[in-house]
Amino acid sequence: MDVYRITKEPIDVASALIDIADDRAGAQALFLGTVRNEFEGRSSRGLYYDAYEPLAEKELRRIGEELKQEFGALHVVLIHRIGDLPLGVVSVLVAVSTGHRGEAFAAAREGIDRIKLRVPIWKKEHWGNGQDAWHHDPEAFPAK
Amino acid sequence: MDVYRITKEPIDVASALIDIADDRAGAQALFLGTVRNEFEGRSSRGLYYDAYEPLAEKELRRIGEELKQEFGALHVVLIHRIGDLPLGVVSVLVAVSTGHRGEAFAAAREGIDRIKLRVPIWKKEHWGNGQDAWHHDPEAFPAK
Amino acid sequence: MNPSTMTVHTLFFSFAADRMNGRHKTLDLPQGTTLGDMVRQYLEPALGPDSRNWLYSVNEEWASWETQLKNGDEIAVIPPVSGG
Amino acid sequence: MNPSTMTVHTLFFSFAADRMNGRHKTLDLPQGTTLGDMVRQYLEPALGPDSRNWLYSVNEEWASWETQLKNGDEIAVIPPVSGG
């Protein structure tokens, strides 16, 4: 079973494992993005994620279809959480099942890379000093 | 926290996620090996795994230390289940947390590759036709 | 509504919403306006020249510069994404 | 026990246990026997020539051909592994 979802709720890894289970699969790869306490050396208190939900879910689905086509993924779960997330929390989950491990790693890696490139989701850093900044805002993150 | 274990019990993925959690981590990668219903085109009813447990756990620990040294893994969990395992069940878990996703994928991939190469564990295929065969037994799997 | 104009709904996200002081704007545009026309004439003055390089969607699907806008369209302004 | 001999415990796994009809054997060896001597003289006849290329452990640690065996040692015969 495939799942493509933008959610405000905690991401349930156990249920993703049930969704990708398949007797034809010898391999499952999962990638979880978690909220880190720093970004490029500056301390952070957490992240806020916003999304354009209808288009984001469509784009997650397109990425999942690509992973099935290109890597033979049997099942794909792509979930991104939005809202205010404290340190340590899972913000994004990529889970795939495949026949063998090579394709599982390749599909999971491409899954997160394509999410970061293409899905209309944005994150705001809550810096340790109390300031906030949207990533990729040229005023907040000047070109180096 | 790091965990290196050979076990007869079901592998608990949720507890591995707790073990690798770290506010410094932006990425977690998990690989799960699952019992597949075929091997190289022959149908299978399941697998039996045996291990030389004390040396297998030592070797898991050595691999984990390598993943921390080589890829900067913050925490590593390597668990292999043994005994008779039905189709679909998780036989092996590799879980790592790292600062960024590149190292997470690299560490998890090397983790499972090194387990397969070095850890004294053996699997016996329960073929669909009722026969059994140890993998790598030259009489059961003649060189092609 | 003037028959020679149409009304479109525009959504802003991330720092584009900050620049616009809001996540939603309603614009009255001349009939025949393309997405490219709208970006250059109505959005670029507020969002800056980088906005020409951003992505846009019309009615929840990616759209090109040449897309003809229609009355009631929902246009989303997609500054560089940063999910994950 | 003859003072010029020693007793070692040998563990077999996977198809090596099938070949030996058992997972444990106790061997009486001359004092001074190395791991390589034991493999060539006592195990290879039953396990076949491939067994020279396998790995072995002594007392739960990987051991080389030159390892001097001692009374009471536990030797594990490690045919090619297939975990995962």
Side-chain angles (χ1 to χ4, degrees):
Chain A
M1 177 181 147
D2 305 315
V3 177
Y4 306 109
R5 185 181 299 146
I6 303 294
T7 180
K8 293 185 175 66
E9 303 303 317
I11 291 176
D12 182 346
V13 179
S15 110
L17 289 171
I18 293 167
D19 293 331
I20 62 171
D22 194 306
D23 283 355
R24 297 169 296 169
Q28 300 177 336
L30 280 78
F31 176 81
L32 307 176
T34 52
V35 179
R36 199 173 50 234
N37 64 9
E38 60 91 23
F39 181 80
E40 294 183 351
R42 281 184 76 176
S43 92
S44 174
R45 292 174 296 119
L47 292 169
Y48 173 79
Y49 284 94
D50 192 15
Y52 182 34
E53 296 188 38
L55 187 54
E57 290 194 343
K58 279 188 196 172
E59 199 65 18
L60 290 178
R61 177 176 300 276
R62 277 190 279 251
I63 291 169
E65 294 299 324
E66 293 165 10
L67 301 181
K68 299 171 96 170
Q69 285 281 329
E70 295 174 35
F71 302 100
L74 298 164
H75 305 282
V76 178
V77 176
L78 304 176
I79 301 175
H80 206 301
R81 189 172 174 192
I82 59 174
D84 250 316
L85 304 189
L87 298 182
V89 156
V90 175
S91 58
V92 59
L93 172 143
V94 174
V96 300
S97 53
T98 64
H100 299 273
R101 69 191 187 285
E103 307 95 77
F105 280 106
R109 176 65 199 248
E110 282 299 311
I112 183 62
D113 285 358
R114 294 180 194 187
I115 287 172
K116 284 172 162 278
L117 271 177
R118 290 166 35 188
V119 179
I121 299 174
W122 299 269
K123 70 174 158 236
K124 180 192 272 183
E125 201 78 45
H126 294 312
W127 295 120
N129 67 3
Q131 294 185 317
D132 286 344
W134 287 105
H135 278 251
H136 296 323
D137 179 349
E139 293 182 12
F141 293 85
K144 287 169 218 166
Chain B
M1 177 180 146
D2 304 315
V3 177
Y4 306 109
R5 185 181 298 147
I6 303 294
T7 180
K8 294 186 175 64
E9 303 302 317
I11 291 176
D12 183 346
V13 179
S15 109
L17 288 171
I18 293 167
D19 293 331
I20 62 172
D22 195 306
D23 283 354
R24 297 169 295 169
Q28 301 177 336
L30 280 78
F31 176 81
L32 306 176
T34 52
V35 179
R36 199 173 50 234
N37 63 10
E38 60 90 23
F39 181 79
E40 294 182 354
R42 281 184 77 177
S43 91
S44 174
R45 293 174 297 119
L47 293 169
Y48 174 78
Y49 284 94
D50 192 16
Y52 182 34
E53 296 187 38
L55 187 53
E57 289 194 344
K58 278 187 196 172
E59 199 65 19
L60 290 178
R61 176 176 300 277
R62 276 190 279 250
I63 291 169
E65 294 298 325
E66 292 165 10
L67 301 182
K68 298 170 96 170
Q69 285 282 328
E70 296 174 34
F71 302 100
L74 296 165
H75 305 282
V76 178
V77 177
L78 304 176
I79 301 174
H80 205 302
R81 189 173 173 191
I82 59 173
D84 250 316
L85 304 190
L87 299 182
V89 156
V90 175
S91 57
V92 60
L93 173 144
V94 174
V96 301
S97 54
T98 64
H100 299 273
R101 69 191 187 284
E103 307 95 77
F105 280 105
R109 176 66 200 246
E110 282 299 311
I112 183 61
D113 286 358
R114 294 180 193 186
I115 287 171
K116 284 174 161 277
L117 271 177
R118 290 166 35 187
V119 179
I121 299 173
W122 299 270
K123 69 174 158 234
K124 180 191 273 182
E125 201 78 45
H126 294 313
W127 295 120
N129 68 3
Q131 294 185 314
D132 285 345
W134 287 105
H135 278 252
H136 295 322
D137 179 351
E139 294 182 11
F141 293 86
K144 287 169 217 163
Chain C
M1 194 179 79
N2 184 322
S4 67
T5 69
M6 57 186 178
T7 301
V8 299
H9 307 283
T10 313
L11 306 180
F12 302 92
F13 298 93
S14 181
F15 60 93
D18 293 347
R19 304 269 196 286
M20 300 301 288
N21 288 312
R23 294 167 60 86
H24 305 270
K25 299 278 176 192
T26 298
L27 291 177
D28 292 321
L29 303 173
Q31 291 285 356
T33 300
T34 65
L35 177 61
D37 296 334
M38 185 189 93
V39 171
R40 282 184 294 264
Q41 294 168 38
Y42 298 86
L43 300 181
E44 201 181 307
L47 294 174
D50 283 353
S51 60
R52 289 201 190 194
N53 302 317
W54 296 351
L55 297 178
Y56 293 83
S57 71
V58 175
N59 300 328
E60 305 183 354
E61 198 45 82
W62 302 110
S64 73
W65 245 210
E66 292 71 36
T67 304
Q68 288 285 343
L69 301 181
K70 303 182 309 300
N71 191 54
D73 278 352
E74 180 186 89
I75 293 128
V77 177
I78 314 283
V81 302
S82 52
Chain D
M1 194 178 80
N2 183 322
S4 68
T5 69
M6 58 185 177
T7 301
V8 300
H9 307 285
T10 314
L11 306 180
F12 302 93
F13 298 93
S14 182
F15 60 94
D18 294 348
R19 304 271 195 286
M20 299 302 286
N21 288 311
R23 293 167 61 87
H24 305 270
K25 299 278 175 195
T26 298
L27 291 177
D28 291 323
L29 303 174
Q31 291 285 356
T33 300
T34 64
L35 177 61
D37 296 334
M38 186 190 93
V39 171
R40 281 184 294 265
Q41 294 168 39
Y42 297 86
L43 300 181
E44 200 179 308
L47 294 174
D50 283 353
S51 59
R52 289 200 190 194
N53 303 318
W54 297 351
L55 297 177
Y56 293 83
S57 71
V58 175
N59 299 330
E60 306 183 353
E61 198 44 82
W62 303 110
S64 74
W65 244 213
E66 292 70 37
T67 304
Q68 286 285 343
L69 300 181
K70 302 180 310 300
N71 191 56
D73 278 352
E74 179 185 271
I75 293 127
V77 177
I78 314 283
V81 302
S82 52

